[in-house]
Amino acid sequence: MLRHAVVILAVAVSLTACAAPPTRTLIPVPTSVEGRGRAEFIVTANTKIVVPPGDERVAWIGRYLVDLIGVAAGQDPLRMEVGEGPGPGNINLRLAKLSQAGEEAYELTVAPEGVTIAANQPAGLFYGVQTFRQLLPTFVDYGAVRPDSARVLRAPAAHITDQPRFPWRGAMLDVSRHFFSVDEVKRYIDLMSLYKLNRFHLHLADDQGWRIEIPSWPNLATYGGSTEVGGGPGGYYTQQQLTDLVTYAQQRFIVIVPEIDMPSHTNAALASYAQLNCNNVAPALYTGIEVGFSSLCVDKEITYQFIDDVVRDIATVSPSPYFHIGGDEVKTLAPAQYTKFIERVQTIVRARGKQMVGWDEVAPVRLAPDSIVQHWRPDGSLAPAVKQGVKIIMSPANKAYLDMKYHPDTVLGLSWAAYIDVDDAYTWDPAQISSDVPESAILGVEAPLWSETLADIRDVEFMAFPRLPMIAEIGWSRADSRAWGDFKRRLGAQGPRWTALGINFYRSPLVRWQ
Protein backbone atom coordinates (compact mmCIF):
# COMPACT_ATOMS: atom_id res chain seq x y z
CA MET A 1 0.00 0.00 0.00
CA LEU A 2 0.99 3.59 -0.47
CA ARG A 3 2.16 4.56 3.03
CA HIS A 4 4.91 7.10 2.54
CA ALA A 5 3.65 10.43 3.89
CA VAL A 6 4.52 11.50 7.41
CA VAL A 7 2.13 14.34 8.11
CA ILE A 8 0.42 15.40 11.33
CA LEU A 9 -3.26 14.67 11.59
CA ALA A 10 -4.28 18.31 11.83
CA VAL A 11 -2.90 18.89 8.34
CA ALA A 12 -4.64 15.76 7.11
CA VAL A 13 -8.03 16.94 8.33
CA SER A 14 -7.53 20.42 6.88
CA LEU A 15 -7.03 19.00 3.40
CA THR A 16 -10.08 16.77 3.21
CA ALA A 17 -12.51 19.40 1.99
CA CYS A 18 -13.30 19.48 -1.73
CA ALA A 19 -14.89 22.28 -3.68
CA ALA A 20 -16.98 19.78 -5.64
CA PRO A 21 -18.81 16.63 -4.46
CA PRO A 22 -16.49 13.57 -4.54
CA THR A 23 -18.60 11.93 -7.24
CA ARG A 24 -17.66 14.83 -9.52
CA THR A 25 -13.92 14.63 -8.90
CA LEU A 26 -13.18 11.07 -10.05
CA ILE A 27 -10.27 10.22 -12.37
CA PRO A 28 -10.69 8.50 -14.77
CA VAL A 29 -14.22 9.79 -15.32
CA PRO A 30 -16.56 6.76 -15.13
CA THR A 31 -19.00 5.70 -17.82
CA SER A 32 -21.98 6.63 -15.66
CA VAL A 33 -22.27 8.37 -12.28
CA GLU A 34 -25.60 8.81 -10.51
CA GLY A 35 -25.50 10.78 -7.26
CA ARG A 36 -27.98 10.10 -4.46
CA GLY A 37 -28.38 13.52 -2.90
CA ARG A 38 -26.99 14.02 0.59
CA ALA A 39 -27.19 10.40 1.63
CA GLU A 40 -23.91 8.71 2.62
CA PHE A 41 -22.36 5.52 3.87
CA ILE A 42 -20.44 5.66 7.15
CA VAL A 43 -17.90 3.06 8.24
CA THR A 44 -18.67 1.96 11.81
CA ALA A 45 -17.20 -0.41 14.38
CA ASN A 46 -19.45 -3.13 12.94
CA THR A 47 -18.47 -2.67 9.29
CA LYS A 48 -16.93 -5.71 7.62
CA ILE A 49 -15.38 -6.29 4.22
CA VAL A 50 -17.26 -9.29 2.80
CA VAL A 51 -15.70 -11.32 -0.03
CA PRO A 52 -17.07 -14.40 -1.82
CA PRO A 53 -15.44 -17.79 -1.23
CA GLY A 54 -13.19 -19.63 -3.61
CA ASP A 55 -11.09 -16.89 -5.27
CA GLU A 56 -7.78 -15.88 -3.72
CA ARG A 57 -7.52 -12.86 -6.01
CA VAL A 58 -10.75 -11.46 -4.58
CA ALA A 59 -9.59 -12.29 -1.05
CA TRP A 60 -6.40 -10.30 -1.73
CA ILE A 61 -8.50 -7.32 -2.86
CA GLY A 62 -10.46 -7.60 0.38
CA ARG A 63 -7.25 -7.54 2.43
CA TYR A 64 -6.02 -4.59 0.35
CA LEU A 65 -9.19 -2.68 1.23
CA VAL A 66 -8.88 -3.63 4.90
CA ASP A 67 -5.34 -2.27 4.94
CA LEU A 68 -6.42 0.89 3.15
CA ILE A 69 -9.28 1.96 5.40
CA GLY A 70 -9.01 -0.04 8.60
CA VAL A 71 -6.79 2.29 10.63
CA ALA A 72 -8.33 5.44 9.17
CA ALA A 73 -11.77 4.21 10.24
CA GLY A 74 -10.63 3.86 13.84
CA GLN A 75 -10.85 0.08 13.58
CA ASP A 76 -7.50 -1.69 13.69
CA PRO A 77 -7.87 -4.02 11.99
CA LEU A 78 -11.16 -3.74 10.10
CA ARG A 79 -12.58 -7.22 9.76
CA MET A 80 -12.79 -9.23 6.54
CA GLU A 81 -15.31 -12.03 6.23
CA VAL A 82 -15.87 -14.70 3.59
CA GLY A 83 -19.52 -15.09 2.77
CA GLU A 84 -22.41 -14.53 0.38
CA GLY A 85 -25.01 -11.77 0.44
CA PRO A 86 -24.69 -8.09 1.29
CA GLY A 87 -25.39 -7.75 5.03
CA PRO A 88 -26.25 -4.37 6.57
CA GLY A 89 -23.47 -1.85 7.09
CA ASN A 90 -20.86 -3.85 5.19
CA ILE A 91 -18.65 -3.30 2.15
CA ASN A 92 -19.35 -6.19 -0.20
CA LEU A 93 -17.16 -7.42 -3.03
CA ARG A 94 -19.14 -9.59 -5.42
CA LEU A 95 -18.48 -11.43 -8.69
CA ALA A 96 -21.55 -11.25 -10.92
CA LYS A 97 -22.57 -11.15 -14.56
CA LEU A 98 -22.89 -7.45 -15.34
CA SER A 99 -24.61 -5.84 -18.30
CA GLN A 100 -21.25 -4.20 -19.13
CA ALA A 101 -18.97 -6.59 -21.00
CA GLY A 102 -15.35 -7.32 -20.21
CA GLU A 103 -13.07 -8.43 -17.40
CA GLU A 104 -12.44 -4.86 -16.21
CA ALA A 105 -16.00 -3.57 -15.98
CA TYR A 106 -17.48 -2.91 -12.54
CA GLU A 107 -20.52 -1.51 -10.78
CA LEU A 108 -20.24 0.44 -7.52
CA THR A 109 -23.25 1.15 -5.34
CA VAL A 110 -22.83 3.28 -2.22
CA ALA A 111 -25.90 3.57 0.00
CA PRO A 112 -26.49 4.32 3.70
CA GLU A 113 -27.11 0.62 4.36
CA GLY A 114 -23.93 -0.60 2.70
CA VAL A 115 -21.52 -0.63 -0.23
CA THR A 116 -21.46 -3.17 -3.04
CA ILE A 117 -18.74 -3.47 -5.66
CA ALA A 118 -19.70 -6.00 -8.34
CA ALA A 119 -17.70 -7.11 -11.36
CA ASN A 120 -17.47 -9.83 -13.96
CA GLN A 121 -13.91 -10.65 -12.92
CA PRO A 122 -11.54 -9.77 -10.04
CA ALA A 123 -9.84 -7.04 -12.10
CA GLY A 124 -13.10 -5.12 -12.20
CA LEU A 125 -13.43 -5.42 -8.42
CA PHE A 126 -9.98 -3.93 -7.98
CA TYR A 127 -10.84 -0.98 -10.21
CA GLY A 128 -14.10 -0.51 -8.33
CA VAL A 129 -12.11 -0.35 -5.08
CA GLN A 130 -9.93 2.40 -6.59
CA THR A 131 -13.04 4.41 -7.44
CA PHE A 132 -14.46 3.87 -3.96
CA ARG A 133 -11.12 5.02 -2.55
CA GLN A 134 -11.51 8.36 -4.34
CA LEU A 135 -14.93 8.82 -2.74
CA LEU A 136 -13.44 8.53 0.75
CA PRO A 137 -11.81 11.43 2.64
CA THR A 138 -8.14 11.92 1.80
CA PHE A 139 -6.99 11.07 5.32
CA VAL A 140 -7.32 7.37 4.41
CA ASP A 141 -4.11 7.81 2.43
CA TYR A 142 -1.98 9.42 5.13
CA GLY A 143 0.72 7.07 6.36
CA ALA A 144 0.77 8.90 9.71
CA VAL A 145 -2.94 8.49 10.42
CA ARG A 146 -3.80 6.88 13.77
CA PRO A 147 -6.95 5.08 14.96
CA ASP A 148 -9.50 7.66 16.06
CA SER A 149 -13.11 6.66 16.72
CA ALA A 150 -14.09 10.34 16.69
CA ARG A 151 -13.10 10.74 13.06
CA VAL A 152 -15.86 9.79 10.61
CA LEU A 153 -15.01 7.82 7.49
CA ARG A 154 -17.81 8.43 5.02
CA ALA A 155 -18.56 8.17 1.30
CA PRO A 156 -21.37 9.87 -0.63
CA ALA A 157 -24.21 7.67 -1.85
CA ALA A 158 -23.90 6.97 -5.56
CA HIS A 159 -24.39 4.40 -8.28
CA ILE A 160 -21.50 4.07 -10.75
CA THR A 161 -21.15 1.82 -13.77
CA ASP A 162 -17.84 1.76 -15.57
CA GLN A 163 -15.72 0.00 -18.15
CA PRO A 164 -12.56 0.94 -20.10
CA ARG A 165 -12.36 2.24 -23.63
CA PHE A 166 -9.08 0.47 -24.44
CA PRO A 167 -7.62 -2.81 -23.10
CA TRP A 168 -4.00 -1.49 -23.01
CA ARG A 169 -3.48 1.38 -20.58
CA GLY A 170 0.19 1.54 -19.83
CA ALA A 171 3.16 3.34 -18.40
CA MET A 172 6.82 2.73 -19.18
CA LEU A 173 9.74 3.28 -16.82
CA ASP A 174 13.31 3.44 -18.11
CA VAL A 175 15.46 1.77 -15.46
CA SER A 176 18.45 1.55 -17.80
CA ARG A 177 19.73 5.11 -18.00
CA HIS A 178 19.24 5.47 -14.26
CA PHE A 179 18.64 2.44 -12.08
CA PHE A 180 15.69 2.36 -9.69
CA SER A 181 15.48 0.00 -6.72
CA VAL A 182 12.82 -2.67 -6.32
CA ASP A 183 11.04 -0.52 -3.72
CA GLU A 184 11.06 2.48 -6.07
CA VAL A 185 9.60 0.39 -8.87
CA LYS A 186 6.91 -0.93 -6.54
CA ARG A 187 6.10 2.65 -5.60
CA TYR A 188 5.54 3.45 -9.28
CA ILE A 189 3.35 0.36 -9.69
CA ASP A 190 1.23 1.55 -6.76
CA LEU A 191 0.86 4.99 -8.31
CA MET A 192 -0.18 3.42 -11.61
CA SER A 193 -2.80 1.29 -9.90
CA LEU A 194 -4.55 4.34 -8.43
CA TYR A 195 -5.79 5.26 -11.90
CA LYS A 196 -6.58 1.84 -13.37
CA LEU A 197 -3.47 1.45 -15.53
CA ASN A 198 -2.85 -2.19 -16.39
CA ARG A 199 0.41 -2.48 -18.40
CA PHE A 200 3.86 -1.71 -16.97
CA HIS A 201 6.49 -1.56 -19.69
CA LEU A 202 9.88 -2.03 -18.05
CA HIS A 203 12.80 -0.81 -20.20
CA LEU A 204 15.48 -3.18 -18.90
CA ALA A 205 18.46 -2.65 -21.18
CA ASP A 206 20.05 0.23 -23.05
CA ASP A 207 23.48 1.66 -23.83
CA GLN A 208 23.97 2.89 -20.26
CA GLY A 209 23.03 -0.23 -18.33
CA TRP A 210 21.75 -3.83 -18.41
CA ARG A 211 19.32 -4.29 -15.54
CA ILE A 212 18.25 -7.94 -15.41
CA GLU A 213 20.23 -11.03 -14.43
CA ILE A 214 20.62 -13.49 -17.32
CA PRO A 215 22.09 -16.68 -15.82
CA SER A 216 23.45 -17.90 -19.15
CA TRP A 217 25.23 -14.55 -19.78
CA PRO A 218 26.16 -13.34 -16.28
CA ASN A 219 28.43 -10.44 -17.30
CA LEU A 220 25.43 -8.59 -18.73
CA ALA A 221 24.25 -7.71 -15.23
CA THR A 222 27.45 -7.72 -13.22
CA TYR A 223 29.47 -5.68 -15.71
CA GLY A 224 26.94 -4.18 -18.12
CA GLY A 225 24.76 -3.14 -15.19
CA SER A 226 27.56 -1.53 -13.20
CA THR A 227 27.00 2.07 -14.30
CA GLU A 228 24.39 4.59 -15.45
CA VAL A 229 24.10 8.07 -16.95
CA GLY A 230 26.66 10.32 -15.30
CA GLY A 231 28.77 7.41 -14.07
CA GLY A 232 26.75 6.34 -11.02
CA PRO A 233 26.92 2.80 -9.61
CA GLY A 234 24.00 1.42 -11.62
CA GLY A 235 22.52 -1.88 -10.48
CA TYR A 236 20.40 -4.77 -11.69
CA TYR A 237 17.51 -7.02 -10.68
CA THR A 238 18.07 -10.66 -9.90
CA GLN A 239 15.74 -13.23 -11.35
CA GLN A 240 14.07 -13.48 -7.95
CA GLN A 241 13.61 -9.72 -7.73
CA LEU A 242 11.94 -9.62 -11.15
CA THR A 243 9.68 -12.46 -10.02
CA ASP A 244 8.81 -10.39 -6.95
CA LEU A 245 7.98 -7.36 -9.11
CA VAL A 246 5.85 -9.49 -11.45
CA THR A 247 3.87 -10.85 -8.49
CA TYR A 248 3.47 -7.40 -6.96
CA ALA A 249 2.15 -6.03 -10.25
CA GLN A 250 -0.13 -9.03 -10.87
CA GLN A 251 -1.81 -8.53 -7.50
CA ARG A 252 -2.73 -5.03 -8.71
CA PHE A 253 -3.87 -6.42 -12.08
CA ILE A 254 -0.90 -4.93 -13.92
CA VAL A 255 1.02 -6.95 -16.52
CA ILE A 256 4.76 -6.31 -16.72
CA VAL A 257 6.03 -5.99 -20.30
CA PRO A 258 9.84 -6.49 -20.33
CA GLU A 259 11.87 -4.71 -22.98
CA ILE A 260 15.37 -5.55 -24.17
CA ASP A 261 16.12 -2.93 -26.81
CA MET A 262 17.88 -4.22 -29.94
CA PRO A 263 19.73 -4.17 -32.31
CA SER A 264 20.72 -0.63 -31.29
CA HIS A 265 20.76 0.77 -27.72
CA THR A 266 22.99 -2.20 -26.87
CA ASN A 267 26.33 -0.77 -25.71
CA ALA A 268 25.99 -2.32 -22.23
CA ALA A 269 25.68 -5.77 -23.83
CA LEU A 270 28.48 -5.09 -26.32
CA ALA A 271 30.78 -4.00 -23.51
CA SER A 272 29.97 -7.16 -21.56
CA TYR A 273 30.70 -9.66 -24.34
CA ALA A 274 33.21 -8.98 -27.12
CA GLN A 275 31.76 -11.71 -29.38
CA LEU A 276 28.56 -9.68 -29.85
CA ASN A 277 30.62 -7.09 -31.76
CA CYS A 278 31.49 -7.53 -35.43
CA ASN A 279 35.16 -6.77 -34.70
CA ASN A 280 35.23 -8.95 -31.54
CA VAL A 281 36.38 -5.95 -29.50
CA ALA A 282 34.27 -4.88 -26.52
CA PRO A 283 33.72 -1.10 -26.32
CA ALA A 284 33.97 0.83 -23.07
CA LEU A 285 30.93 1.24 -20.86
CA TYR A 286 28.89 4.31 -21.77
CA THR A 287 27.42 6.95 -19.44
CA GLY A 288 26.26 9.64 -21.88
CA ILE A 289 22.85 10.16 -23.48
CA GLU A 290 23.48 9.97 -27.25
CA VAL A 291 21.54 7.34 -29.23
CA GLY A 292 21.91 5.22 -32.33
CA PHE A 293 25.67 4.59 -32.27
CA SER A 294 25.60 0.97 -31.07
CA SER A 295 24.42 -2.23 -32.72
CA LEU A 296 24.61 -5.95 -32.23
CA CYS A 297 26.47 -7.73 -35.01
CA VAL A 298 23.43 -8.88 -36.98
CA ASP A 299 25.44 -11.13 -39.33
CA LYS A 300 26.81 -13.37 -36.56
CA GLU A 301 24.99 -16.52 -35.50
CA ILE A 302 26.09 -16.01 -31.88
CA THR A 303 23.93 -12.87 -31.81
CA TYR A 304 20.76 -14.90 -32.30
CA GLN A 305 21.80 -17.51 -29.76
CA PHE A 306 22.34 -14.63 -27.34
CA ILE A 307 18.89 -13.19 -28.07
CA ASP A 308 17.21 -16.58 -27.68
CA ASP A 309 18.94 -17.13 -24.32
CA VAL A 310 17.89 -13.68 -23.10
CA VAL A 311 14.27 -14.13 -24.16
CA ARG A 312 14.20 -17.59 -22.57
CA ASP A 313 15.71 -16.47 -19.25
CA ILE A 314 13.35 -13.49 -18.95
CA ALA A 315 10.33 -15.53 -20.03
CA THR A 316 11.10 -17.97 -17.23
CA VAL A 317 10.29 -15.33 -14.61
CA SER A 318 7.89 -13.11 -16.60
CA PRO A 319 4.65 -14.92 -17.49
CA SER A 320 3.36 -11.91 -19.46
CA PRO A 321 2.38 -12.77 -23.05
CA TYR A 322 4.50 -9.88 -24.33
CA PHE A 323 8.18 -9.29 -25.05
CA HIS A 324 9.28 -5.85 -26.27
CA ILE A 325 12.31 -5.92 -28.59
CA GLY A 326 12.74 -2.16 -29.08
CA GLY A 327 13.92 -1.80 -32.66
CA ASP A 328 14.19 1.99 -32.55
CA GLU A 329 16.80 4.55 -33.56
CA VAL A 330 19.03 2.20 -35.55
CA LYS A 331 21.55 4.31 -37.46
CA THR A 332 24.34 1.86 -38.33
CA LEU A 333 22.51 -0.85 -40.33
CA ALA A 334 21.27 -0.94 -43.91
CA PRO A 335 17.46 -1.25 -44.29
CA ALA A 336 17.80 -4.84 -45.56
CA GLN A 337 19.93 -5.80 -42.54
CA TYR A 338 17.42 -4.22 -40.17
CA THR A 339 14.44 -5.95 -41.78
CA LYS A 340 16.13 -9.36 -41.74
CA PHE A 341 17.11 -8.89 -38.09
CA ILE A 342 13.63 -7.90 -36.87
CA GLU A 343 11.96 -10.75 -38.74
CA ARG A 344 14.35 -13.31 -37.26
CA VAL A 345 13.98 -11.89 -33.74
CA GLN A 346 10.20 -11.99 -34.13
CA THR A 347 10.51 -15.71 -34.87
CA ILE A 348 12.63 -16.23 -31.74
CA VAL A 349 10.18 -14.34 -29.55
CA ARG A 350 7.17 -16.26 -30.90
CA ALA A 351 8.99 -19.59 -30.48
CA ARG A 352 9.30 -18.73 -26.77
CA GLY A 353 5.52 -18.25 -26.56
CA LYS A 354 5.51 -14.44 -26.57
CA GLN A 355 3.97 -11.72 -28.69
CA MET A 356 6.56 -9.33 -30.06
CA VAL A 357 6.17 -5.62 -29.35
CA GLY A 358 8.37 -3.08 -31.15
CA TRP A 359 8.68 0.68 -31.53
CA ASP A 360 7.16 2.05 -34.73
CA GLU A 361 10.33 1.64 -36.81
CA VAL A 362 9.30 -2.03 -37.12
CA ALA A 363 6.02 -1.11 -38.88
CA PRO A 364 7.29 -1.74 -42.47
CA VAL A 365 8.69 -5.16 -41.58
CA ARG A 366 6.71 -8.32 -42.32
CA LEU A 367 4.97 -8.80 -38.99
CA ALA A 368 2.99 -11.63 -37.48
CA PRO A 369 -0.68 -10.73 -36.91
CA ASP A 370 -0.23 -10.93 -33.14
CA SER A 371 2.79 -8.61 -33.05
CA ILE A 372 2.23 -5.09 -31.71
CA VAL A 373 3.64 -1.75 -32.85
CA GLN A 374 4.18 1.08 -30.37
CA HIS A 375 3.83 4.46 -32.05
CA TRP A 376 6.20 7.14 -30.74
CA ARG A 377 7.36 9.30 -33.68
CA PRO A 378 4.71 11.92 -34.49
CA ASP A 379 5.56 11.62 -38.19
CA GLY A 380 6.12 7.85 -38.19
CA SER A 381 4.07 5.90 -40.74
CA LEU A 382 1.85 3.19 -39.30
CA ALA A 383 0.01 2.25 -42.48
CA PRO A 384 2.19 -0.81 -43.28
CA ALA A 385 1.51 -2.31 -39.86
CA VAL A 386 -2.23 -1.58 -39.96
CA LYS A 387 -2.48 -3.20 -43.40
CA GLN A 388 -1.01 -6.36 -41.86
CA GLY A 389 -3.71 -6.39 -39.18
CA VAL A 390 -1.28 -5.44 -36.42
CA LYS A 391 -2.56 -3.55 -33.36
CA ILE A 392 -1.09 -0.19 -32.35
CA ILE A 393 -0.20 1.29 -28.95
CA MET A 394 -0.38 5.08 -29.06
CA SER A 395 2.54 6.84 -27.33
CA PRO A 396 3.18 9.98 -29.43
CA ALA A 397 6.29 11.61 -28.01
CA ASN A 398 4.88 15.14 -28.30
CA LYS A 399 1.87 14.20 -26.17
CA ALA A 400 2.57 11.13 -24.04
CA TYR A 401 6.28 11.24 -23.15
CA LEU A 402 6.41 12.04 -19.44
CA ASP A 403 10.11 12.95 -19.54
CA MET A 404 9.42 16.03 -21.65
CA LYS A 405 9.69 19.31 -19.74
CA TYR A 406 6.46 21.04 -18.74
CA HIS A 407 7.92 24.37 -19.91
CA PRO A 408 11.41 25.79 -20.64
CA ASP A 409 12.13 26.50 -16.97
CA THR A 410 11.47 22.91 -15.80
CA VAL A 411 14.69 21.67 -14.17
CA LEU A 412 14.19 17.99 -15.00
CA GLY A 413 13.48 16.42 -18.34
CA LEU A 414 14.28 17.01 -21.99
CA SER A 415 12.50 18.95 -24.73
CA TRP A 416 13.43 17.38 -28.08
CA ALA A 417 9.83 16.29 -28.76
CA ALA A 418 7.93 19.21 -27.18
CA TYR A 419 7.19 21.10 -24.02
CA ILE A 420 4.18 19.26 -22.62
CA ASP A 421 2.19 21.16 -20.00
CA VAL A 422 -0.89 19.60 -18.52
CA ASP A 423 -3.33 20.88 -21.15
CA ASP A 424 -1.19 19.45 -23.97
CA ALA A 425 -0.92 16.10 -22.19
CA TYR A 426 -4.71 15.81 -21.92
CA THR A 427 -6.20 17.38 -25.05
CA TRP A 428 -5.52 14.65 -27.59
CA ASP A 429 -7.33 11.53 -28.64
CA PRO A 430 -5.67 8.26 -29.74
CA ALA A 431 -8.10 7.84 -32.63
CA GLN A 432 -7.19 11.28 -34.04
CA ILE A 433 -3.37 10.94 -33.99
CA SER A 434 -2.92 9.23 -37.35
CA SER A 435 -5.19 9.01 -40.38
CA ASP A 436 -3.57 5.62 -41.04
CA VAL A 437 -4.96 4.14 -37.83
CA PRO A 438 -8.71 3.59 -37.30
CA GLU A 439 -9.85 3.20 -33.70
CA SER A 440 -10.44 -0.50 -34.33
CA ALA A 441 -6.67 -0.92 -34.82
CA ILE A 442 -5.75 0.83 -31.56
CA LEU A 443 -4.87 -1.50 -28.70
CA GLY A 444 -4.51 1.38 -26.25
CA VAL A 445 -2.19 4.07 -24.92
CA GLU A 446 1.04 4.20 -22.98
CA ALA A 447 3.04 6.94 -21.26
CA PRO A 448 6.81 6.36 -21.55
CA LEU A 449 9.14 7.93 -18.97
CA TRP A 450 12.79 7.99 -20.01
CA SER A 451 15.31 8.62 -17.25
CA GLU A 452 18.28 10.53 -18.69
CA THR A 453 17.70 13.32 -16.13
CA LEU A 454 15.84 11.39 -13.42
CA ALA A 455 17.96 10.03 -10.58
CA ASP A 456 15.37 8.78 -8.08
CA ILE A 457 11.67 8.11 -7.54
CA ARG A 458 11.02 11.71 -6.43
CA ASP A 459 12.19 12.88 -9.85
CA VAL A 460 9.99 10.26 -11.48
CA GLU A 461 6.95 11.41 -9.52
CA PHE A 462 7.49 15.04 -10.47
CA MET A 463 7.49 14.23 -14.18
CA ALA A 464 4.65 11.69 -13.99
CA PHE A 465 2.24 13.70 -11.85
CA PRO A 466 -0.08 15.20 -12.90
CA ARG A 467 0.39 13.83 -16.45
CA LEU A 468 0.16 10.09 -15.74
CA PRO A 469 -3.49 10.30 -14.56
CA MET A 470 -4.25 12.15 -17.80
CA ILE A 471 -2.98 9.25 -19.91
CA ALA A 472 -4.96 6.92 -17.66
CA GLU A 473 -8.19 8.81 -18.38
CA ILE A 474 -7.44 8.97 -22.12
CA GLY A 475 -7.10 5.19 -22.09
CA TRP A 476 -10.07 4.44 -19.82
CA SER A 477 -12.81 6.98 -20.45
CA ARG A 478 -15.01 7.53 -23.49
CA ALA A 479 -13.84 10.34 -25.77
CA ASP A 480 -17.19 12.13 -25.54
CA SER A 481 -16.99 12.19 -21.72
CA ARG A 482 -13.70 14.10 -21.64
CA ALA A 483 -13.30 17.89 -21.63
CA TRP A 484 -10.31 19.92 -20.47
CA GLY A 485 -12.34 22.40 -18.39
CA ASP A 486 -14.01 19.62 -16.43
CA PHE A 487 -10.82 17.58 -16.12
CA LYS A 488 -8.68 20.35 -14.67
CA ARG A 489 -11.29 20.86 -11.94
CA ARG A 490 -11.21 17.16 -11.15
CA LEU A 491 -7.41 17.20 -11.33
CA GLY A 492 -7.20 20.04 -8.82
CA ALA A 493 -9.29 17.99 -6.41
CA GLN A 494 -6.66 15.21 -6.52
CA GLY A 495 -4.06 17.51 -4.92
CA PRO A 496 -4.92 16.76 -1.27
CA ARG A 497 -4.82 13.01 -1.92
CA TRP A 498 -1.42 13.28 -3.61
CA THR A 499 -0.19 15.31 -0.66
CA ALA A 500 -1.49 12.58 1.64
CA LEU A 501 0.37 9.97 -0.39
CA GLY A 502 3.59 11.98 -0.33
CA ILE A 503 3.69 12.37 -4.12
CA ASN A 504 6.16 14.98 -5.38
CA PHE A 505 3.90 16.48 -8.05
CA TYR A 506 4.12 19.49 -10.33
CA ARG A 507 1.58 22.14 -9.33
CA SER A 508 0.84 23.53 -12.77
CA PRO A 509 -0.47 27.12 -12.66
CA LEU A 510 -3.06 26.05 -15.22
CA VAL A 511 -4.87 24.09 -12.49
CA ARG A 512 -6.60 25.42 -9.38
CA TRP A 513 -5.22 23.04 -6.79
CA GLN A 514 -7.23 22.34 -3.65
Side-chain angles (χ1 to χ4, degrees), residues 43-44 47-49 66 69-70 73 75-80 91:
V43 177
T44 72
T47 298
K48 298 187 291 292
I49 309 295
V66 165
I69 70 175
Q75 309 298 319
D76 189 14
L78 203 67
R79 289 176 293 166
M80 188 180 85
I91 301 170

Side-chain angles (χ1 to χ4, degrees), residues 5 20 58 73 121 159 190 195 264 270 278 280 347 398 440 444 478 486:
V58 178
Q121 296 292 335
H159 181 70
D190 276 329
Y195 297 100
S264 192
L270 300 174
C278 289
N280 292 314
T347 300
N398 60 343
S440 60
R478 296 194 323 263
D486 173 66

